[in-house]
Amino acid sequence: MHIESLYLLAAAAAPATVGEWISQYGKMLVEGIWGTVYMTLVSTFIGYLFGLPMGVLLTVTRKDGLKPNAPVYKILDVIANIVRSIPFLILLILLIPFTRALVGKSYGTTAVIVPLSIAAIPFIARMVESSLTEVDAGVIEAARSMGASNMQIITRVLLVEGKTSLIVNATIAMGTILGYSAMAGTVGGGGLGDIAVRYGYNRYIYDVMFVTVALLIILFQLFQTYGMFFANHFDRRKSTSMKTGSLVVFIVFSVIMGSAAGIGIIQFVKTMLLR
Amino acid sequence: MSKISVSHLSKTFQSADGTVEALKDVSLEIASGDIFGIIGMSGAGKSTLVRCINYLEVPTEGKVLIDGKELGGFSEKELRKQRENIGMIFQHFNLLMQKSVLENVCFPLYIQGKKKAEARKKAAELLEIVGLADKQKAYPAQLSGGQMQRVAIARALASDPEILLCDEATSALDPQTTSSILELLDKINKEFGITIVIITHQMSVVREVCRHVAILKNGEVVEQGLVSDIFTHPKTDVARELIRKDTGDEAEVEKTAAMQEIQSGEIIRIVFSENSAFEPVIANLILTFREPVNILRANTRNVGGVAKGEMVLQFMEYSQNTEAMKHYLEECGLAVEEAPEYAH
């Protein structure tokens, strides 16, 4: 009875026209889109900031790596496995004290970046490891025969030859982080996921939830298409010639993505410093 | 003093199924400016041996000396410096697939800390030498196997090495491309005086360009010396087998049953050198002994730039004159070898 009345209440307040709908929810949805983009891009950035070196270290210290080191590999391996074995939602709750110490609060988009990044680091490290171990051992041997040091092999061979695979995996990582960020909505994480949970699950306003889900799908598609295009076009194993039209779209999207990431990172750093 | 001196080299690998002895007490002396072939069937230890020469594999026992300096005595850093003096090319070319041809050739120069402009200038010159001046901006995936190997050769020459190691460098190429790559190696050897070590399983490669050869079997050197000597007088079964399998570009034809019936007497292989090739030796042989011989195979081969005639003959089954005929052929200045391996 109680629930039904709530539902009626919500239905009564529902806007009659599209124009009204937009004026009622538009601002919130735009903020939601930004929240999601902000969390995804900044967490992916921080994830790579630490995950890339960790992945390189995993690759190098492997048994068949450039400089095998069983203890270092084992430690990183165990850390990666532990973090990855904790379901994200639980990690999110588990990290609340840490997040609060770092950001000052445990809800909202900036706070969610902390557990998102921590979940992303080992995931990204594994992705990087798999990309780099795929690099043809023959090319590494050729570099060694020319007198290259391990550091030169990492920067000039592994990261160069693994490029395509690294970009594909970054796209996958970004998609996963986007999904996680939506999950954070259940504990007031902000962004589109948060809106979907509040309106769809708590208030039964399904139209808002559907639009939110559609926006999430569109965002995911954009990231995915962009990443794959990027990976394929810059793969020199394939002879590609890009049409001017798609090149323009690609550049425009790159600029948007780049500035979004830039603004996001600045916002994140500011929020951390100004608390 | 030898350019490369390998003495009493052994290498064992630890694997799950126990230890594998890849090389057993191998000793080689390779002179400066030589083209030295190391030949053997797969699994003979050739690749391990060549990797010990630039210490990509550290030998279990024994020494490798380059210009009299022992590689084992160098630190990791000194060893890297030393490797700049030893170029290497591979069966699968091992180029950077994500970099242009020019950048691939620049790679070793960047490793040495050369400036971009300087490296590019040098790389362009090298691409000219290997005949790929027009492919600077292409990517390896757009090239044929032969072209990729040329890029690899240019890359190996970028650091002005005195030694070039070729690990099965022509094994992934067709016969025509193989010949053109071998010609290029020969040119490099002559023009720059670079000592070349060629690892291969193809006798034709050794025959065409190498001056000296070592035959490897199960990690041991079973025979070594001048290519022309081994071609005319192979001492071991491995050498004979490699020569027999060397079909060059002639087709390997299935022997028919009829042919096998004819083949029943003793088989010999004779090798004509230049001066003995003028006389009609076989015709004279038949006229002298009034007895037919069966010609199983005849060919002219390029042994280090010298044409050598090779013929496999079979005497009649109950011939009384076998020994006399062999003697006659030797009198004519031919190298005569018993060659039962040709009977199949």
Side-chain angles (χ1 to χ4, degrees):
Chain A
M1 181 61 206
H2 176 66
I3 289 168
E4 214 160 274
S5 64
L6 259 178
Y7 182 71
L8 286 174
L9 201 74
T17 64
V18 176
E20 268 179 51
W21 197 92
I22 290 175
S23 68
Q24 191 169 342
Y25 300 119
K27 187 167 176 287
M28 175 186 75
L29 286 173
V30 169
E31 280 171 1
I33 292 172
W34 169 246
T36 295
V37 170
Y38 166 63
M39 285 190 288
T40 307
L41 292 183
V42 175
S43 303
T44 308
F45 176 79
I46 298 175
Y48 269 91
L49 203 62
F50 296 97
L52 186 67
M54 184 172 165
V56 168
L57 212 57
L58 277 166
T59 315
V60 171
T61 56
R62 274 168 77 96
K63 202 166 69 196
D64 51 356
L66 287 172
K67 206 168 175 58
N69 187 324
V72 173
Y73 183 81
K74 199 72 216 160
I75 289 167
L76 292 175
D77 189 52
V78 167
I79 291 174
N81 286 345
I82 289 173
V83 178
R84 276 175 29 78
S85 60
I86 304 173
F88 178 66
L89 207 54
I90 295 173
L91 187 75
L92 196 72
I93 299 162
L94 210 64
L95 285 171
I96 284 176
F98 179 68
T99 307
R100 195 170 282 147
L102 214 64
V103 186
K105 56 181 183 179
S106 63
Y107 56 90
T109 46
T110 304
V112 167
I113 286 174
V114 176
L116 269 181
S117 303
I118 287 174
I121 291 166
F123 178 65
I124 287 169
R126 283 288 188 222
M127 291 275 207
V128 170
E129 183 190 7
S130 103
S131 293
L132 299 186
T133 42
E134 258 170 43
V135 172
D136 182 10
V139 186
I140 298 167
E141 186 180 43
R144 288 221 297 141
S145 82
M146 289 178 244
S149 66
N150 286 342
M151 200 59 197
Q152 284 170 323
I153 291 174
I154 292 167
T155 57
R156 291 183 178 277
V157 180
L158 289 181
L159 294 177
V160 170
E161 289 294 284
K163 188 176 66 182
T164 305
S165 171
L166 284 169
I167 299 170
V168 170
N169 282 345
T171 310
I172 297 172
M174 213 189 272
T176 307
I177 293 168
L178 181 86
Y180 281 179
S181 82
M183 217 190 279
T186 49
V187 290
L192 290 174
D194 193 23
I195 296 171
V197 170
R198 274 192 285 129
Y199 282 76
Y201 184 69
N202 298 344
R203 292 163 71 177
Y204 301 100
I205 305 178
Y206 290 122
D207 49 352
V208 175
M209 188 181 72
F210 287 140
V211 171
T212 315
V213 171
L215 285 172
L216 274 172
I217 292 170
I218 292 168
L219 268 183
F220 188 92
Q221 285 293 340
L222 280 175
F223 284 149
Q224 185 73 20
T225 312
Y226 175 76
M228 286 307 168
F229 186 85
F230 194 54
N232 279 324
H233 180 66
F234 289 98
D235 186 355
R236 306 300 190 185
R237 287 169 299 185
K238 298 170 188 158
S239 40
T240 43
S241 59
M242 194 159 18
K243 291 192 187 79
T244 329
S246 46
L247 187 69
V248 170
V249 173
F250 178 71
I251 291 171
V252 168
F253 207 88
S254 296
V255 170
I256 295 172
M257 283 277 277
S259 28
I263 294 167
I265 290 158
I266 292 167
Q267 188 180 327
F268 179 72
V269 173
K270 258 187 179 167
T271 322
M272 295 274 281
L273 293 177
L274 292 178
R275 69 185 182 87
Chain B
M1 183 177 60
S2 312
K3 189 78 190 167
I4 304 168
S5 169
V6 173
S7 67
H8 305 292
L9 199 77
S10 296
K11 174 78 187 176
T12 50
F13 289 104
Q14 304 293 334
S15 76
D17 329 312
T19 55
V20 179
E21 275 191 272
L23 295 172
K24 291 169 219 162
D25 196 31
V26 172
S27 293
L28 297 172
E29 296 293 328
I30 301 174
S32 184
D34 197 3
I35 303 185
F36 194 100
I38 297 171
I39 189 169
M41 309 290 181
S42 62
K46 317 180 287 283
S47 287
T48 309
L49 177 55
V50 79
R51 276 162 183 72
C52 285
I53 295 177
N54 60 4
Y55 252 60
L56 283 179
E57 291 283 2
V58 178
T60 316
E61 269 172 64
K63 288 178 196 168
V64 178
L65 287 85
I66 307 283
D67 289 324
K69 285 174 287 184
E70 201 207 323
L71 292 186
F74 286 131
S75 70
E76 184 61 32
K77 205 176 166 194
E78 287 168 323
L79 204 55
R80 287 208 298 270
K81 192 79 199 148
Q82 190 65 37
R83 283 192 191 127
E84 291 173 6
N85 192 25
I86 310 173
M88 190 168 182
I89 58 172
F90 306 85
Q91 178 173 8
H92 299 295
F93 327 121
N94 297 350
L95 299 174
L96 293 163
M97 300 305 280
Q98 302 291 356
K99 290 282 184 189
S100 70
V101 164
L102 191 71
E103 287 296 300
N104 263 287
V105 182
C106 287
F107 185 85
L109 298 167
Y110 293 153
I111 295 286
Q112 292 169 28
K114 294 272 193 316
K115 291 277 177 302
K116 203 163 193 164
E118 188 190 345
R120 288 198 162 168
K121 187 166 167 283
K122 171 106 196 207
E125 286 167 16
L126 287 162
L127 285 171
E128 188 91 41
I129 292 171
V130 300
L132 287 176
D134 56 334
K135 296 283 184 197
Q136 288 191 11
K137 291 196 181 71
Y139 286 91
Q142 297 160 336
L143 304 180
S144 68
Q147 289 172 326
M148 284 206 255
Q149 197 59 288
R150 281 167 190 273
V151 176
I153 290 170
R155 180 176 71 175
L157 295 178
S159 52
D160 295 318
E162 291 172 26
I163 296 168
L164 179 63
L165 306 177
C166 310
D167 182 22
E168 295 278 12
T170 58
S171 300
L173 305 174
D174 61 59
Q176 278 79 16
T177 317
T178 296
S179 293
S180 77
I181 294 292
L182 294 178
E183 270 169 40
L184 177 62
L185 291 176
D186 197 47
K187 177 178 132 183
I188 288 162
N189 169 259
K190 291 202 173 78
E191 279 180 23
F192 304 100
I194 295 175
T195 309
I196 299 181
V197 180
I198 294 179
I199 299 291
T200 184
H201 66 273
Q202 297 163 301
M203 190 62 190
S204 57
V205 169
V206 169
R207 182 164 55 68
E208 277 184 45
V209 288
C210 297
R211 285 193 271 284
H212 290 88
V213 65
I215 298 172
L216 221 56
K217 189 192 179 186
N218 297 332
E220 284 173 290
V221 175
V222 289
E223 197 167 343
Q224 64 172 313
L226 279 166
V227 173
S228 53
D229 288 351
I230 288 180
F231 185 78
T232 30
H233 291 293
K235 290 189 201 71
T236 57
D237 289 345
V238 196
R240 282 192 204 103
E241 183 64 15
L242 285 165
I243 291 167
R244 190 185 68 80
K245 279 194 177 159
D246 173 16
T247 52
D249 38 42
E250 72 183 275
E252 185 83 54
V253 182
E254 285 275 329
K255 291 191 178 80
T256 58
M259 238 179 120
Q260 282 174 2
E261 269 174 41
I262 303 166
Q263 292 178 17
S264 46
E266 193 187 335
I267 300 173
I268 59 163
R269 173 176 174 270
I270 55 178
V271 178
F272 300 76
S273 54
E274 280 158 297
N275 43 5
S276 58
F278 293 113
E279 290 174 56
V281 179
I282 305 299
N284 286 346
L285 175 84
I286 295 166
L287 288 172
T288 309
F289 290 91
R290 304 202 152 271
E291 186 182 306
V293 291
N294 197 3
I295 299 173
L296 297 181
R297 175 170 163 169
N299 210 338
T300 311
R301 298 221 182 263
N302 164 13
V303 180
V306 180
K308 294 229 177 199
E310 176 198 39
M311 200 177 264
V312 179
L313 299 179
Q314 185 174 37
F315 299 118
M316 298 315 287
E317 194 172 0
Y318 302 108
S319 173
Q320 302 297 311
N321 299 324
T322 311
E323 286 311 311
M325 287 164 103
K326 280 200 262 186
H327 187 68
Y328 177 87
L329 291 169
E330 274 167 359
E331 291 278 281
C332 294
L334 307 185
V336 180
E337 293 283 324
E338 285 181 17
E341 70 269 20
Y342 288 91
H344 280 289

